[in-house]
Amino acid sequence: MAVRLGEARGVGLVGMEEGLRKLRSGGRARRLNHRLNALDRTTPKAMLERGLGLRQIALVTVRAAYSTTIGNLAFALPDACASTAEIGRRGLAEMDWRARTRGAPRRIPAEGRG
């Protein structure tokens, strides 16, 4: 759905939150919980990444910590819309940072010093 929507609108960038890292679990079902968490977190991202890559749309993942709080301060929108706008803003900033660091000239060590 997201891939078709991006293709229909002609977007070149999709921002996605990374969400929580690893959930802690213990007890008898620990191994099963770890397996399910890994599947739940990696499979949708891989499918989205592949679909967008086939259509030459970039996928940027950003850490979504405090996105609702910061979004409410920056944007006069409801909570869900403000957090989405903040994640989009972070995605654009990430792409801008990547473009600046890739295009920057690399330092070449002076002859005989390295």
Side-chain angles (χ1 to χ4, degrees), residues 1 6 12 24 51 59 64 71 73-74 80 83 96 109:
M1 175 81 176
R24 295 180 182 212
L59 175 68
L73 293 173
S83 66
D96 184 44

Side-chain angles (χ1 to χ4, degrees), residues 16 41-52 59:
M16 180 178 141
R41 294 172 195 285
T42 57
T43 304
K45 179 185 173 194
M47 291 172 61
L48 183 62
E49 199 168 29
R50 183 178 184 281
L52 292 173
L59 175 68

Side-chain angles (χ1 to χ4, degrees), residues 12-84:
L13 171 71
V14 173
M16 180 178 141
E17 67 178 344
E18 276 189 43
L20 301 171
R21 292 286 179 182
K22 200 174 187 181
L23 296 177
R24 295 180 182 212
S25 65
R28 284 188 272 166
R30 180 177 165 204
R31 185 173 288 154
L32 177 63
N33 286 340
H34 283 272
R35 220 176 278 142
L36 291 175
N37 282 333
L39 278 174
D40 193 32
R41 294 172 195 285
T42 57
T43 304
K45 179 185 173 194
M47 291 172 61
L48 183 62
E49 199 168 29
R50 183 178 184 281
L52 292 173
L54 290 173
R55 288 158 181 85
Q56 297 179 350
I57 300 172
L59 175 68
V60 176
T61 57
V62 295
R63 188 161 178 244
Y66 303 106
S67 59
T68 304
T69 305
I70 296 170
N72 283 333
L73 293 173
F75 306 103
L77 298 169
D79 285 351
C81 298
S83 66
T84 302

Side-chain angles (χ1 to χ4, degrees), residues 1-11 14 52 55 57:
M1 175 81 176
V3 176
R4 280 188 267 158
L5 181 64
E7 188 178 29
R9 298 291 180 190
V11 300
V14 173
L52 292 173
R55 288 158 181 85
I57 300 172

